[in-house]
Amino acid sequence: MFDSLRGRLLSSYILIILVALIVVAVALFGFASLTAVRDLPALQRLAAISLTNIYELRRLQESGADPGTFERFLSQTAQDHNVRILVANSATRQVIYDSGQENSWVGVFIDDVNKPRRLSFDVERNTVYGRFRHPNGSLWLVYSQPLQFFNRALIFYAQREPTAVEFFRDFFLEPLLWAGLAAFLLSILLAAWIARSVAKPLQHLATAAESVAHGDYGQRLPLEGPLEVKRVAASFNSMGEQVQAGRQSQHDFVTNVSHDLRTPITSISGWSQALLDGTAVTHEERHQAAGVIHDEAERMQRLVDELLDLAQIESGQLELALQAVDLTLLVNNIYQALSPRAEALGLVMNLETEPVPQVNGDADRLTQAISNIVENALIYTRHGGQVCLVVQPGLNNLVLIAIEDDGPGIPLAEQERIFERFYRLDKSRVRDERSRGSGLGLAIAKELVEAHRGWIELQSAEGRGSKFLIYLPVASGH
Ligand code: ADP
């Protein structure tokens, strides 16, 4: 029972109810222990009985009833109201008649009656009322209103003073028990209602999670129930979206890789077939076949290398060999290495550097990231175009490397996406399909720069060239 939410709620409610009832009971018991509180209702009752008897007593007195008739009347009244009626001499206050079975009061002097303290009780003058200790030690409440027509005797109405326990039992126990029962029933309903409002969405969550486990990644949950449950549902939904996106990107990845491998493999298999079956006969033809096979194999090698790099970065296994790096020197090296290629493509490549503070980085990885961007500039800029490399100090302890070209530019809508894996703009932009990359270059560059706590920005517009800005933080202490 205590395993279920409902059971736990219910048991905690019962505990709270019990504690509340005990606190109330203790407070009420304390209240019942005050004699003024306890005695008042009893004295009022005695007063009421006395009052109702006056008329009958007067009638008996006036009709000259004998003592026997009086006795019978008083004894009957005592029985009817479950009180003790005592008749005492009004001068001496000595009891001469007792309605009780055993005449324990006869002869007792009721002369020391104490009014309980702090008891406000509206009575006629001369009325004797209060607590009286019987010679046998028992405590009584007595009430007597002197009657003019009955001046030789005093009629006392008496009852035992209730103890605190009796008073509590008579006045408070029953209401407390009813309150406890009502609270208990209410708590059962409340626990069932709350448990349902939590359990139902959780049940939905369990079913949805099972569906996801069976491959239905489109499962989403309605946001219902208490705040915490809503939060769980929202987390589940966002997890579902991520899993779905992950599955989609895995699917795209396999499609892209197989597509990118198919072209060189088809080419290699075609040209090697030509070599084997003797279709390529002349020296030039054989040379061409071998050249294509070599280029395609290199292209495949590049793709595999890039994939491995990306996998390493994304799995967090990339280890940077950090050292102080002079970016002016590093970019200068890239410039020297790629200048022949720029020249061969009919491009003008410029280098503008200013002295910059050193950064803390992995020189090989930074070279790889920057080269990817410079190579893109060379590939996508038309013959006669210009590519400019700039290194300069940036604001806020940053070094800025800018790679600017006057190529076709990148439409605004595509600027976010070109940093995604395998994302390429349309084919018409590449002058030679062979020089077409895998679509991984910018994704790798972005990851590598971010691994150095830097970032890449792009300023470009269609037809207006592109400017890639790489920001890297200066090594502390420089
Ligand atoms: P790729 O290997 O295809 O070059 P990248 O990730 O390096 O892949 O680049 C993604 C796409 O961004 C390229 O296919 C190209 O369309 C576009 N792009 C990158 N650099 C430039 C540039 N300097 N000018 C115009 N388009 C570019």
Side-chain angles (χ1 to χ4, degrees):
M1 169 186 173
F2 295 107
D3 282 349
S4 71
L5 182 63
R6 191 169 24 177
R8 284 178 187 212
L9 279 174
L10 193 59
S11 45
S12 57
Y13 288 163
I14 291 175
L15 197 73
I16 293 169
I17 292 169
L18 280 180
V19 171
L21 284 179
I22 289 171
V23 169
V24 173
V26 167
L28 288 176
F29 194 77
F31 185 63
S33 308
L34 300 172
T35 45
V37 170
R38 223 162 58 215
D39 295 349
L40 184 63
L43 283 171
Q44 276 172 333
R45 192 174 86 93
L46 296 177
I49 299 166
S50 160
L51 202 65
T52 48
N53 273 358
I54 291 176
Y55 173 77
E56 188 60 21
L57 285 170
R58 185 198 292 265
R59 202 186 60 77
L60 289 176
Q61 173 74 348
E62 283 169 3
S63 66
D66 60 359
T69 316
F70 272 107
E71 245 182 61
R72 273 196 301 284
F73 170 67
L74 292 178
S75 148
Q76 188 60 45
T77 311
Q79 223 174 21
D80 291 350
H81 297 285
N82 191 22
V83 286
R84 196 84 174 233
I85 299 181
L86 314 162
V87 180
N89 182 306
S90 57
T92 62
R93 298 254 189 109
Q94 188 177 26
V95 176
I96 50 173
Y97 165 78
D98 179 358
S99 68
Q101 291 296 311
E102 32 5 304
N103 290 351
S104 57
W105 282 85
V106 175
V108 172
F109 289 92
I110 311 177
D111 48 8
D112 192 14
V113 177
N114 292 318
K115 287 183 196 166
R117 277 193 301 133
R118 285 185 285 164
L119 179 76
S120 66
F121 188 38
D122 195 14
V123 290
E124 273 185 27
R125 230 157 39 87
N126 296 337
T127 303
V128 183
Y129 69 93
R131 304 164 87 203
F132 177 75
R133 189 179 286 279
H134 189 279
N136 68 11
S138 56
L139 274 170
W140 291 76
L141 292 172
V142 295
Y143 179 94
S144 174
Q145 184 185 342
L147 304 172
Q148 278 164 2
F149 56 87
F150 219 62
N151 53 15
R152 277 184 300 120
L154 277 175
I155 300 179
F156 280 93
Y157 296 85
Q159 71 164 73
R160 274 184 184 271
E161 187 188 39
T163 62
V165 174
E166 283 165 350
F167 184 81
F168 179 83
R169 190 192 55 210
D170 293 347
F171 287 88
F172 298 136
L173 189 63
E174 201 179 298
L176 267 183
L177 288 179
W178 279 115
L181 185 70
F184 176 67
L185 293 176
L186 202 68
S187 65
I188 291 181
L189 293 179
L190 207 65
W193 178 67
I194 294 181
R196 216 176 100 85
S197 73
V198 174
K200 213 173 84 185
L202 285 182
Q203 191 59 46
H204 286 160
L205 179 69
T207 318
E210 270 165 34
S211 303
V212 170
H214 288 105
D216 179 4
Y217 302 103
Q219 284 288 332
R220 297 292 177 270
L221 289 172
L223 301 184
E224 60 184 14
L227 193 67
E228 291 79 358
V229 177
K230 270 192 207 150
R231 224 178 268 160
V232 173
S235 306
F236 177 87
N237 288 347
S238 96
M239 185 193 75
E241 275 158 26
Q242 282 178 25
V243 170
Q244 207 170 18
R247 295 286 299 187
Q248 186 59 42
S249 106
Q250 196 182 2
H251 176 260
D252 293 349
F253 177 80
V254 174
T255 316
N256 283 317
V257 171
S258 31
H259 178 264
D260 277 13
L261 285 177
R262 186 174 301 136
T263 322
I265 287 172
T266 314
S267 191
I268 289 173
S269 113
W271 285 98
S272 54
Q273 188 65 43
L275 285 176
L276 281 175
D277 61 17
T279 321
V281 202
T282 64
H283 178 70
E284 283 74 35
E285 282 169 343
R286 286 168 169 268
H287 191 262
Q288 188 190 3
V292 171
I293 291 171
H294 178 260
D295 287 353
E296 295 296 359
E298 274 207 331
R299 196 167 144 184
M300 280 164 55
Q301 177 72 51
R302 255 201 326 273
L303 176 65
V304 171
D305 285 349
E306 283 179 341
L307 282 174
L308 286 178
D309 276 347
L310 208 58
Q312 209 181 21
I313 297 167
E314 286 185 351
S315 65
Q317 286 171 354
L318 176 76
E319 277 181 19
L320 296 175
L322 294 178
Q323 62 190 69
V325 177
D326 180 350
L327 285 173
T328 311
L329 193 66
L330 187 135
V331 174
N332 193 37
N333 287 343
I334 295 174
Y335 173 77
Q336 300 298 341
L338 293 178
S339 280
R341 215 155 114 198
E343 212 171 308
L345 291 166
L347 298 170
V348 179
M349 186 154 72
N350 298 316
L351 176 67
E352 294 168 18
T353 58
E354 286 176 38
V356 288
Q358 292 188 322
V359 300
N360 194 22
D362 182 325
D364 288 343
R365 291 307 193 173
L366 286 175
T367 304
Q368 184 185 2
I370 298 167
S371 299
N372 280 359
I373 296 177
V374 179
E375 280 173 13
N376 277 351
L378 298 182
I379 292 170
Y380 297 107
T381 307
R382 72 196 179 289
H383 190 88
Q386 283 208 3
V387 174
C388 188
L389 309 187
V390 178
V391 182
Q392 65 184 47
L395 295 172
N396 301 327
N397 270 346
L398 293 167
V399 177
L400 168 65
I401 302 152
I403 299 109
E404 194 172 0
D405 65 56
D406 57 359
I410 298 156
L412 204 62
E414 312 273 7
Q415 290 185 10
E416 275 283 312
R417 302 210 61 196
I418 57 162
F419 291 97
E420 288 174 17
R421 298 190 307 186
F422 294 109
Y423 194 79
R424 289 178 286 208
L425 301 189
D426 61 76
K427 289 182 179 184
S428 57
R429 304 177 143 248
V430 194
R431 53 188 145 200
D432 169 13
E433 180 55 22
R434 288 266 201 82
S435 64
R436 188 172 159 74
S438 56
L440 294 174
L442 285 179
I444 292 175
K446 180 171 182 275
E447 296 276 1
L448 286 176
V449 169
E450 284 175 359
H452 284 83
R453 291 183 294 118
W455 70 94
I456 305 179
E457 284 174 11
L458 169 59
Q459 295 170 355
S460 180
E462 189 143 35
R464 301 247 194 96
S466 313
K467 187 173 184 179
F468 286 85
L469 303 156
I470 304 174
Y471 292 92
L472 287 165
V474 171
S476 49
H478 287 272

